[in-house]
Amino acid sequence: MLIEGSYPYIHYRLSFGKIDQIAETIKKCCLGNYDNFEEKIRSSENKKIIKDLLNYVPYRLISVFFKNQLKNIPDHKKNQKIKEFALEQFDKIKPIYKIINDEKIILHKQWIEYFCENYKIVKAWADWEWMQYLQQKNPNVPAISQKLYPPPERLNLKKQTEYWKQIIINWDKYDKKGKLKCIYSSDILDKDYKFSLDHFLPWSFVGHNQLWNLIPVKPEANISKSDSLPSDIYLDDFIDVQYRGLSFSKEILGVARWEKEVECFVFDLHINNYNDLLDKEKLREKYENTLRPLFQIAENMGFEKDWQYKN
């Protein structure tokens, strides 16, 4: 349970609510350092910390099988009663498991057969409920469904890299005066320069690789920024590079392919039509309307704000 909860908490900074003790227990087990967190949670040194959860969860999970018997029993006596009922009525009521000496559980044979036969259905249901719970506790956070577990293709930016590579190669052709520069370091990014794609809003917040949030930058700057929120001083340059990238890519790709490539700009930034992507002031307005509330939400979640690159 702790390991399942660790992914959305550590990687995406999601909240489980004030009452839930999962996040606090993960903190105590890892002492602020989340490297190899699975090993730390499973460590024998943390058994005492985890014991508080074991005092409640294993018993209450099967309490649904004994609703009538538990009606008038005080809460502090319920664990013992649940344990007794499960032992006494194991073959009659058939709870999922029975608890032995508060140390182990024994699954009912018919439930073992049920889980083996219907595992995919049960897992899908559990994931759905888990997602609903996290969405309820994090109502303003985007892409909750993609934050239950680490996605396997986070670093697969081949298509997006090719888009920006074509723009960089042809930059001088369409911009006779200026050079494409990293918005953080001001270093020139020419066709021979190895660049990284930076998620302007951190990937661990947005959970996607949409082009409208990606910008070519100096690799060292991308590493330095990590999951931080960039300072407002970079916003104008970010929008300017996106605007010119959209303008140049239309010439490079042709209208039909260009509209397919930049579709995410239209839908995610709530732009009326493709022509508005080439109107710098309209594009700026849509970017500011989209980014500012998202920055505030990310800041409220604990993402470091006002990051600036120091060469």
Side-chain angles (χ1 to χ4, degrees), residues 254-277:
V255 175
R257 186 180 166 196
W258 177 76
E259 288 186 354
K260 185 177 180 181
E261 291 283 343
V262 303
E263 186 178 51
C264 65
F265 285 85
V266 175
F267 288 105
D268 293 356
L269 299 180
H270 305 288
I271 289 174
N272 295 327
N273 58 69
Y274 284 93
N275 288 332
D276 286 351
L277 293 175

Side-chain angles (χ1 to χ4, degrees), residues 163-187:
Y163 168 86
W164 276 109
K165 187 177 180 180
Q166 289 301 312
I167 293 171
I168 293 171
I169 290 172
N170 290 280
W171 191 274
D172 291 343
K173 179 179 177 181
Y174 296 103
D175 190 339
K176 301 298 183 182
K177 296 180 180 179
K179 295 284 187 181
L180 174 59
K181 294 181 179 180
C182 169
I183 65 172
Y184 303 131
S185 69
S186 298
D187 291 327

